[in-house]
Amino acid sequence: MSHHLFLLSPSDSPLYSLTHYSTKPTPSTGSALSSNLPTWSTSAFAGTLTALSGASSATQSHHVQGGGVRMGGGQDRHVIQMIANASLDVIEEVMRKDNAMYLKSVDKFNEWTISAFITPGNMKFILLHEAKNDDGIRAFFNDVWELYVKTMLNPFHTAHTSIRSPVFDTRVRASAKKHL
Amino acid sequence: MATTSKQYKAIGEDLWKGRTEKINAELFALTYGALVVQLIQDYEDYGEVNKQLEKMGYNIGTRLIEDFLARSGTGRCADFRDVGEVVAKVGFKSFLNITPNVTHSAPPSAPLPGSRPASTPAPPLSAVGSSFMLTLDENPLAEFVELPEDALEGGLWFSNVLCGVLRGSLEMIQMQVQAEFISDVLRGDETTEIRVKLVKYLEEEVPVGDD
């Protein structure tokens, strides 16, 4: 089960993105369509179709060759980003009504749920995930928020530029492993 | 009559507690960080930035020593070893609320033939060339800092102002020292260490006793 995290500045420019493959067992949800697709398919269209129909790379890996998954991976990325961008409108709508920081799941696309977290400084943290995991995600968002604040306090970091610090990266991955 | 290490610690602790104007640590760290970043933008050369930080520290140190002596009331140090103890346990504690560890080392070669006039009440017992090493476990100046790669390559010592403070303050009490960073956790080393080496004792300008 994979998760995709995006950190966006108030002007919606991406500052950081992370893909995390969870090792936790996931309830398999509605992957009927994906199993109908040939597993050897390497064409670009098939890759996109696989992604759109909800075959997740991790859970299907035991009967999909590594090469096939990797071919589809490039297409997956575009789909993921499209989904994330599409959710921004919904997030802004919800943002105006709801004052809480953690907006639970704001959008749903096939099997991808999008959860959002808005910081007081109007940074948006967007997480694409498949399974329901409210508490874990809330804890994860809080962790990411703390790490983000610490990075902002680094005098060498310019506000609203992409976050390239390896320390931040390591810590976010560790937190993802812990909570997701 | 020699003040022991524990007594120095107690003096430092009291001075820190007794100080009424303290500054928020985050504000302090952020201000210093902004200062360093601005210097880097202005000079664009990390060696030059190190020098400027040291100069600024020197100016701070020359004034700081008066404040320190007025508040602490510690007497004359018996030798350079004592200087190291007081600096670490009383000085750093009362201004930054940290107590670095001190390790002393003797001068590398035989002491110079003593030709100092014995007009000072307590002739210095340690020879020129002795040094002490301060090991800081925590550095309030560098709280949230991560150095970018070019700062690492350029050889930036982020807290170099501390070396300047040590040099300035000790120069005002007639000791010319050389203070420099040996290692820094910001650079990826294990510890943060400053070595203070005694270069020479300066001529006494204040008349001693009543001649």
Side-chain angles (χ1 to χ4, degrees), chain A residues 150 153-156 165-167, chain B residues 30 33 37 40 144-148:
Chain A
K150 290 203 179 111
L153 289 174
N154 180 15
F156 289 100
S165 150
V167 176
Chain B
L30 291 175
V37 169
I40 293 173
F144 306 106
V145 180
E146 271 170 52
L147 291 183

Side-chain angles (χ1 to χ4, degrees), chain B residues 43-69:
Chain B
Y43 286 100
E44 289 176 10
D45 167 36
Y46 293 105
E48 190 60 37
V49 172
N50 283 341
K51 259 206 309 185
Q52 290 300 321
L53 286 172
E54 214 266 349
K55 256 206 247 176
M56 289 163 66
Y58 178 80
N59 288 323
I60 296 174
T62 52
R63 291 160 235 279
L64 201 69
I65 185 70
E66 298 295 330
D67 183 70
F68 175 70
L69 289 174

Side-chain angles (χ1 to χ4, degrees), chain B residues 74-124:
Chain B
T74 46
R76 199 178 185 79
C77 287
D79 55 8
F80 198 63
R81 188 194 171 84
D82 229 10
V83 172
E85 294 286 318
V86 173
V87 163
K89 299 197 167 61
V90 191
F92 269 84
K93 178 71 183 173
S94 61
F95 289 115
L96 291 174
N97 200 24
I98 54 173
T99 318
N101 284 316
V102 205
T103 37
H104 304 269
S105 30
S109 53
L112 299 171
S115 54
R116 294 224 72 84
S119 58
T120 55

Side-chain angles (χ1 to χ4, degrees), chain A residues 136-166:
Chain A
I137 292 178
R138 183 199 300 264
F140 176 63
F141 271 142
N142 274 309
D143 268 359
V144 172
W145 184 32
E146 270 182 49
L147 293 169
Y148 164 72
V149 170
K150 290 203 179 111
T151 308
M152 289 304 279
L153 289 174
N154 180 15
F156 289 100
H157 180 265
T158 334
H160 304 155
T161 52
S162 63
I163 300 174
R164 268 181 241 103
S165 150

Side-chain angles (χ1 to χ4, degrees), chain B:
Chain B
M1 177 127 143
T3 335
T4 65
S5 167
K6 274 216 184 84
Q7 284 172 293
Y8 284 141
K9 274 199 192 149
I11 297 174
E13 191 68 45
D14 287 338
L15 279 176
W16 173 255
K17 294 238 173 77
R19 203 175 263 282
T20 46
E21 337 80 31
K22 295 195 180 68
I23 189 178
N24 179 308
E26 277 185 18
L27 175 63
F28 183 58
L30 291 175
T31 308
Y32 184 70
L35 176 81
V36 175
V37 169
Q38 193 58 48
L39 280 177
I40 293 173
Q41 281 176 12
D42 289 344
Y43 286 100
E44 289 176 10
D45 167 36
Y46 293 105
E48 190 60 37
V49 172
N50 283 341
K51 259 206 309 185
Q52 290 300 321
L53 286 172
E54 214 266 349
K55 256 206 247 176
M56 289 163 66
Y58 178 80
N59 288 323
I60 296 174
T62 52
R63 291 160 235 279
L64 201 69
I65 185 70
E66 298 295 330
D67 183 70
F68 175 70
L69 289 174
R71 282 176 205 264
S72 72
T74 46
R76 199 178 185 79
C77 287
D79 55 8
F80 198 63
R81 188 194 171 84
D82 229 10
V83 172
E85 294 286 318
V86 173
V87 163
K89 299 197 167 61
V90 191
F92 269 84
K93 178 71 183 173
S94 61
F95 289 115
L96 291 174
N97 200 24
I98 54 173
T99 318
N101 284 316
V102 205
T103 37
H104 304 269
S105 30
S109 53
L112 299 171
S115 54
R116 294 224 72 84
S119 58
T120 55
L125 294 176
S126 58
V128 168
S130 36
S131 62
F132 59 87
M133 189 95 89
L134 296 166
T135 312
L136 285 76
D137 326 302
E138 45 163 349
N139 186 355
L141 292 171
E143 264 304 327
F144 306 106
V145 180
E146 271 170 52
L147 291 183
E149 291 90 41
D150 34 323
L152 287 167
E153 283 166 31
L156 176 74
W157 293 119
F158 189 80
S159 320
N160 212 31
V161 75
L162 294 175
C163 294
V165 172
L166 288 168
R167 182 168 73 91
S169 48
L170 291 175
E171 190 165 304
M172 288 295 116
I173 42 178
Q174 266 65 48
M175 282 175 267
Q176 191 184 348
V177 299
Q178 195 188 18
E180 55 185 5
F181 267 92
I182 303 296
S183 61
D184 194 355
V185 287
L186 292 177
R187 295 243 230 147
D189 304 319
E190 294 274 323
T191 50
T192 309
E193 290 177 328
I194 303 177
R195 189 180 63 195
V196 183
K197 193 164 97 143
L198 177 64
V199 173
K200 67 173 184 208
Y201 286 98
L202 300 166
E203 281 296 324
E204 276 280 4
E205 315 231 319
V206 181
V208 179
D210 21 42
D211 293 286

